[in-house]
Amino acid sequence: MPLVEVRDLYKSFTRGSETIEVLMDLTLDVEAGEFLALMGPSGSGKTTLLNLLAGLDTPTSGTITVGGERISDYSESELARWRTRNVGFVFQFYNLLPVLTAYENVELPLLLLPLTGAQRRKQVENAMGLVGLSDRMTHRPGQLSGGQCQRVGIARAIVTDPTIIVADEPTGALDSASADAALKLLDILRSELGKTILMVTHDPHAAERAQRIVQLEKGRLAHQNLTLTH
Amino acid sequence: MFPGFEQIDGVSSSPDLSLVQTALYASGIFALLMMVLTFFAVLSLPIFFGTVFALEALLKLANNVPDPVGKLSKIFGLVFRSLRRNVVRTSLTYVALFVLTGMLSTIYSGVDLIDKITQEKEDNVQVIMTERFGAPSMMPRSYANRLKGILKELPPEAQPRNIDDDFMVWSFVGATLDLNKRTQENALFMLALEPDAIRTMLSYQGLSKDDMSEEAYAELMQSIDAMKKDKRNVIIGPERLELMGKQVGDSVKAYALGYKDVTYDFKIVGSFPAEVSRWSKSALMRLDYFNDTLDGAKTFSGAEVRPVNLIWVRMPNKAAYEALATVVNEPKSFSAPQAKMETASAAIGSFLEGLKSIVFAFKYIIMPAIAVIMCLVVGITITIGVRERRSEMAVMKVLGFLPWQVMGIIIAEAVLIGVMGGLLSTWLVYFAPKSIEAFKAFTGLKFKILFFDKISAPILITVYGPLLGTFVGLIGSALPAISSRKVKVSEVFAQVT
Ligand SMILES: Nc1ncnc2c1ncn2[C@@H]1O[C@H](COP(=O)(O)OP(=O)(O)OP(=O)(O)O)[C@@H](O)[C@H]1O
Ligand SMILES: [Mg+2]
């Protein structure tokens, strides 16, 4: 059974009297442990789809099931609780809290879980070790490079040990070396920790890392099983 | 007309300040107050940030306490981080709240004081009954008893507290020492009163304890006591004594003017203090002696005698006075002659009325306006802060923080500034003047800083200040907090990416 099952998904936004159909009649499966890249032109609905898969928004119609949970039926607070346990987020602009140290940023999502202080510390240290920033625990985002910030972002995404990691253009703001490092990390998360990774990207280089590429065009699936040289 | 009548009748304590002057004076004090408060607000910034740091450190200690305390302390720690993020903005907000709370508590103290004063004045309304149309006012003796009867019929709370102390009948008596030689030197003008009422009367007529030295007052009290011993005993002012060529201890025979065949045998038992010039030519005699001599002079039987010039009553409050005045001013109550009733000092009455409208304006317009401004100040600061941090709040929501948790952090930030501003400001207004006085008492130094020694704030403001800060923080951050609730995570990222 696939980890993520999307069935007959529609999503539209209303702005005033105008209704914009963003996603139409979308059906998609993602296996557990898969690294999936979402590609497509700007405005094709990639971010919208990712938001729905990550439980940040609810569809207009259709269903999304993740690990047997019908998250498309969840209320806002149910989604919030579900996200904390099941989804790790990596953003294009890292979105770290500037007032918190790297350590505190990574610890933030753990504050929502029933863990002891010692357990939290251990998990933060593990995550920071995994991204290779054990020596930067007390630095603030302003004191770190873009690549380092993104690695802190990845540490924050992994620290709760989620099943899915979603990343919206994670390399969009990075130079190629930093981008490579970040992608390598995501790959390790998949291969060694068995995480399912959903990544939106414009960058063919980044997409190369994925096992499968899904192409969106004007809110519909264009190609499902595209693989670049891998 | 009796000489001295004007002098005695006019309770001449008309206020020194007009309302316009008062208003100007108040504006000046306000401007000064604002400057002083701003100065202290800036001075207290280190205390503010020190306290914030101390609280944060305390909270950090709590980080290691088992959950949920430890966890909550970490989340609450975010509040302090955001306060520190924009030090200038936080400082400005704090200073504004400090100054506004300071103004509010000073105004509150002033209003409280004026309230008490007006209450006091209204609590003891002196009223006088006189003849309505005749001048000088002349009323029959029966009016005193009739007025007492009317007073007894008033509801208990409107009656004078102690009728012996609060009720006086005044008769002005003209006499001469020599019927054949009615010269200035021989003239004697007296006020006839019940001996028990003398002290009350004097306290309102420039001979209270505060008007003279302690020795003079003691002597005066002795003279009054002496007067009580015999109805013939009188007190005569020093200047009059000198004109008459008499002194304390002498006896004097006098003939009434206006009442044929009435003679008096006085014994001078005291004089008024030389230091109070207002009474130096006047004299006091006993009303019972005056009445007895009238009764003894059969000449007037059948004729209407109107020896009472005014009746003085101290009513418990203004409402009681108004109740009494309505009855007295009805033509049928006192018809021959008609009588009228007024407060002893209309001037004070209208001054207080003016003051009351100022107090009203402060209480119900200026004070709420200041509170509203405080809410706006907090509202603006927090709104800007929320705008700045929209995407951060979105991230927190993405990570699974619930809307009320994000909102709580924003509200807590506003409340923290509000409480600190309110607390430090009111505590300064309350404790600074006291500690300066204490310092002066301790060191024995004598100095004066502005009008600091005049400020005496009610202790309640030390509680009201922080409460107001909390309230202002809550109200001011309500809108931005609600708007933060509406931050839709998906929208924020749809725009960013
Ligand atoms: N919250 C929203 N309200 C209204 N319209 C929206 C909203 N979010 C997205 N849209 C619209 O939906 C369409 C798809 O947006 P989306 O962000 O998913 O595109 P995208 O494929 O991620 O594009 P890009 O590559 O530029 O990031 C766009 O036309 C966008 O204007
Ligand atoms: Mg996008």
Side-chain angles (χ1 to χ4, degrees):
Chain A
M1 198 176 95
L3 178 69
V4 181
E5 294 176 84
V6 178
R7 295 289 174 269
D8 312 319
L9 188 72
Y10 284 81
K11 178 69 183 175
S12 56
F13 293 104
T14 37
R15 221 173 248 168
S17 58
E18 198 183 355
T19 303
I20 312 160
E21 296 285 345
V22 179
L23 297 175
M24 280 157 288
D25 194 22
L26 216 136
T27 295
L28 177 74
D29 286 342
V30 182
E31 296 297 331
E34 197 178 359
F35 189 158
L36 183 87
L38 275 170
M39 293 192 80
S42 185
S44 56
K46 302 182 296 294
T47 301
T48 307
L49 177 59
L50 199 70
N51 281 343
L52 290 170
L53 294 176
L56 291 177
D57 209 349
T58 45
T60 310
S61 71
T63 59
I64 301 171
T65 313
V66 180
E69 293 189 67
R70 179 72 65 89
I71 63 163
S72 48
D73 292 345
Y74 279 9
S75 70
E76 202 180 317
S77 57
E78 282 171 330
L79 279 178
R81 230 165 290 136
W82 176 79
R83 285 198 301 270
T84 311
R85 293 171 178 279
N86 296 287
V87 190
F89 291 86
V90 180
F91 306 97
Q92 178 177 2
F93 298 104
Y94 337 124
N95 283 311
L96 302 175
L97 300 199
V99 287
L100 299 181
T101 62
Y103 180 95
E104 290 163 336
N105 264 293
V106 174
E107 190 190 22
L108 198 58
L110 291 182
L111 296 178
L112 294 164
L113 295 174
L115 297 172
T116 66
Q119 284 171 324
R120 285 202 301 266
R121 169 157 285 275
K122 195 159 159 262
Q123 276 181 244
V124 173
E125 279 167 358
N126 280 346
M128 288 296 277
L130 193 77
V131 299
L133 286 175
S134 297
D135 53 340
R136 296 296 162 97
M137 300 272 209
T138 57
H139 288 56
R140 283 175 206 286
Q143 301 162 317
L144 297 171
S145 73
Q148 287 169 330
C149 280
Q150 193 56 296
R151 277 146 69 195
V152 175
I154 292 172
R156 181 178 64 185
I158 193 72
V159 75
T160 52
D161 193 23
T163 33
I164 305 175
I165 291 175
V166 302
D168 198 343
E169 315 222 19
T171 58
L174 299 177
D175 62 78
S176 59
S178 302
D180 260 357
L183 288 167
K184 216 171 265 165
L185 264 175
L186 289 178
D187 212 19
I188 290 171
L189 296 184
R190 183 197 62 79
S191 59
E192 291 185 11
L193 301 175
K195 302 296 171 202
T196 306
I197 297 170
L198 308 175
M199 176 178 74
V200 167
T201 186
H202 280 294
D203 176 9
H205 266 302
E208 270 174 32
R209 293 272 175 188
Q211 294 162 306
R212 183 157 66 112
I213 297 171
V214 170
Q215 183 85 18
L216 273 179
E217 300 252 355
K218 292 185 183 159
R220 292 177 193 274
L221 278 188
H223 305 277
Q224 269 238 38
N225 297 304
L226 206 69
T227 27
L228 299 173
T229 51
H230 194 42
Chain B
M1 182 77 196
F2 296 95
F5 181 87
E6 289 295 296
Q7 188 192 24
I8 291 169
D9 187 9
V11 182
S12 67
S13 44
S14 65
D16 305 331
L17 285 173
S18 78
L19 284 179
V20 177
Q21 277 173 311
T22 313
L24 280 176
Y25 193 58
S27 316
I29 288 187
F30 262 13
L32 193 64
L33 180 68
M34 221 145 120
M35 273 154 49
V36 172
L37 281 170
T38 311
F39 176 71
F40 280 107
V42 173
L43 271 192
S44 70
L45 272 174
I47 302 179
F48 168 66
F49 279 108
T51 313
V52 168
F53 269 112
L55 282 176
E56 196 180 351
L58 221 83
L59 209 63
K60 273 225 177 93
L61 285 181
N63 280 353
N64 303 320
V65 172
D67 292 332
V69 176
K71 199 143 66 180
L72 278 176
S73 74
K74 286 201 168 179
I75 297 179
F76 202 67
L78 283 171
V79 175
F80 291 93
R81 307 291 174 95
S82 1
L83 277 183
R84 260 195 294 149
R85 169 162 12 190
N86 197 330
V87 174
V88 175
R89 187 165 68 217
T90 303
S91 305
L92 287 177
T93 312
Y94 163 78
V95 167
L97 289 188
F98 184 103
V99 171
L100 289 167
T101 312
M103 304 270 295
L104 211 51
S105 38
T106 315
I107 293 175
Y108 176 81
S109 310
V111 164
D112 190 64
L113 186 71
I114 294 175
D115 258 356
K116 263 190 212 140
I117 293 173
T118 47
Q119 199 54 50
E120 235 165 59
K121 297 272 186 200
E122 281 193 355
D123 270 0
N124 288 306
V125 183
Q126 308 168 54
V127 298
I128 50 177
M129 187 170 96
T130 50
E131 190 185 340
R132 184 178 285 275
F133 300 112
S137 149
M138 296 197 299
M139 298 177 290
R141 274 189 269 168
S142 58
Y143 276 27
N145 279 331
R146 207 183 300 172
L147 184 60
K148 267 192 180 156
I150 291 173
L151 283 168
K152 282 206 187 88
E153 269 160 37
L154 290 176
E157 69 275 9
Q159 291 187 15
R161 277 182 263 274
N162 176 355
I163 195 79
D164 291 330
D165 260 1
D166 296 340
F167 191 96
M168 288 190 264
V169 175
W170 291 19
S171 288
F172 296 103
V173 186
T176 177
L177 302 183
D178 187 344
L179 271 175
N180 302 318
K181 239 179 95 189
R182 301 181 188 189
T183 58
Q184 267 286 47
E185 290 80 50
N186 286 335
L188 185 58
F189 297 100
M190 319 194 75
L191 169 59
L193 273 182
E194 318 235 10
D196 283 335
I198 291 173
R199 202 177 302 208
T200 311
M201 185 277 295
L202 290 178
S203 69
Y204 281 102
Q205 299 290 343
L207 279 177
S208 73
K209 211 171 183 157
D210 301 332
D211 295 317
M212 63 192 87
S213 65
E214 239 170 80
E215 301 84 61
Y217 187 71
E219 205 175 306
L220 180 62
M221 289 304 113
Q222 269 179 7
S223 306
I224 293 173
D225 285 341
M227 229 177 128
K228 284 181 189 168
K229 292 205 178 91
D230 189 281
K231 65 178 184 179
R232 286 178 167 73
N233 292 351
V234 292
I235 299 177
I236 300 179
E239 235 176 283
R240 179 61 63 197
L241 277 182
E242 210 178 303
L243 281 174
M244 288 162 47
K246 297 279 178 189
Q247 52 193 359
V248 174
D250 289 352
S251 289
V252 140
K253 199 173 175 68
Y255 307 89
L257 297 170
Y259 306 102
K260 221 170 123 208
D261 296 340
V262 173
T263 58
Y264 305 108
D265 289 306
F266 291 135
K267 182 157 173 25
I268 306 166
V269 294
S271 189
F272 294 112
E275 51 196 290
V276 184
S277 62
R278 190 164 149 192
W279 282 83
S280 59
K281 283 185 191 155
S282 307
L284 276 183
M285 71 177 286
R286 284 173 56 155
L287 186 68
D288 49 351
Y289 185 41
F290 173 65
N291 285 337
D292 288 351
T293 51
L294 278 190
D295 292 339
K298 297 286 180 222
T299 342
F300 293 98
S301 58
E304 182 63 79
V305 180
R306 301 180 352 199
V308 172
N309 298 102
L310 70 85
I311 301 172
W312 180 100
V313 191
R314 183 161 52 196
M315 297 300 283
N317 53 50
K318 207 174 156 199
Y321 152 68
E322 275 156 4
L324 178 64
T326 334
V327 182
V328 170
N329 289 334
E330 275 171 26
K332 69 171 168 33
S333 302
F334 297 94
S335 52
Q338 281 188 28
K340 68 170 191 278
M341 177 143 270
E342 335 163 275
T343 51
S345 172
I348 283 203
S350 74
F351 181 75
L352 285 183
E353 282 311 311
L355 216 52
K356 270 166 111 180
S357 51
I358 291 182
V359 166
F360 181 87
F362 272 121
K363 251 192 192 160
Y364 298 105
I365 301 169
I366 297 184
M367 286 176 55
I370 292 182
V372 168
I373 294 173
M374 289 171 73
C375 291
L376 287 178
V377 167
V378 172
I380 291 167
T381 319
I382 299 295
T383 303
I384 296 172
V386 167
R387 283 259 162 113
E388 257 179 16
R389 280 178 282 156
R390 238 181 131 77
S391 69
E392 282 173 43
M393 291 177 339
V395 173
M396 291 187 65
K397 284 190 174 181
V398 167
L399 296 179
F401 283 87
L402 295 172
W404 69 263
Q405 290 169 320
V406 176
M407 218 167 78
I409 290 173
I410 292 163
I411 293 175
E413 195 181 321
V415 169
L416 194 69
I417 305 184
V419 167
M420 291 295 293
L423 188 112
L424 291 181
S425 178
T426 45
W427 286 33
L428 175 93
V429 171
Y430 183 76
F431 288 109
K434 288 192 170 41
S435 43
I436 289 173
E437 289 310 308
F439 177 76
K440 275 157 76 172
F442 181 72
T443 56
L445 291 173
K446 280 197 197 303
F447 58 88
K448 224 179 128 162
I449 305 174
L450 296 169
F451 46 87
F452 251 49
D453 53 331
K454 295 278 188 303
I455 301 176
S456 168
I459 182 136
L460 266 183
I461 67 164
T462 56
V463 182
Y464 285 162
L467 275 183
L468 177 77
T470 312
F471 173 78
V472 161
L474 286 176
I475 299 286
S477 61
L479 269 181
I482 288 169
S483 90
S484 85
R485 256 189 86 101
K486 293 207 186 106
V487 174
K488 267 197 104 181
V489 282
S490 57
E491 276 174 47
V492 171
F493 293 110
Q495 255 94 72
V496 167
T497 52

